[in-house]
Amino acid sequence: MTQHNGFPNHIPFLSELGVTCKHSEGGRSEIELALEKRHENSWDMAHGGVLMTLLDVAMAIAGRSADTQGRGLVTIEMKTSFMAPGRGTLSARGQCVHRTTTMAFCEAEIVDVDGKTVARASGTFKYVKRIPPQRTAAEGADTGADG
């Protein structure tokens, strides 16, 4: 299986951000991002959207790693709490806390290099069997009509 920055699938958005997957197994995950100027808000700290992306992905990867059928996940809902400015290299750790046959309930937290909690989230995810549409090499776009 080809790995993409540690992820089992190529996710263009995460590649563009520079996110790497350090661990994904048994309902747990850890992803990492070394913040750059492009990730910051006007206060020279991680933009909230970047933090929410890390939390969302950490939870989804944890939920996906808990599934024996190899299905993907889509986010149904997510609650986020911001606790401290995000600076430097951030690690997001996710955990699948409960599963049903169709849903995963997950939690995640982001910590900085000193171990300080930057943000926490909980989310509900739906397992899906659908294979994403193939992208054409020339366009980089979905070929399916329902995208």
Side-chain angles (χ1 to χ4, degrees), residues 11-118:
I11 306 167
F13 182 59
L14 297 182
S15 294
E16 181 66 28
L17 285 177
V19 179
T20 58
C21 183
K22 301 297 183 185
H23 175 79
S24 172
E25 185 177 29
R28 294 187 176 273
S29 70
E30 182 172 359
I31 63 175
E32 188 175 275
L33 176 64
L35 290 175
E36 299 175 18
K37 196 69 179 160
R38 65 189 173 122
H39 300 121
E40 295 178 352
N41 61 22
S42 61
W43 292 306
D44 299 324
M45 64 182 76
H47 187 282
V50 171
L51 297 176
M52 290 185 76
T53 295
L54 292 174
L55 292 163
D56 181 52
V57 171
M59 290 187 290
I61 295 296
R64 187 174 189 161
S65 76
D67 184 46
T68 59
Q69 298 178 45
R71 297 173 291 178
L73 286 172
V74 293
T75 308
I76 300 300
E77 65 84 28
M78 178 174 164
K79 182 206 182 293
T80 305
S81 297
F82 301 100
M83 298 167 187
R87 295 193 173 97
T89 297
L90 301 178
S91 295
R93 300 175 186 136
Q95 177 180 357
C96 182
V97 295
H98 181 73
R99 289 182 58 238
T100 68
T101 57
T102 60
M103 307 289 273
F105 302 89
C106 302
E107 296 176 346
E109 73 171 344
I110 296 174
V111 297
D112 63 17
V113 292
D114 296 325
K116 184 174 185 177
T117 301
V118 172

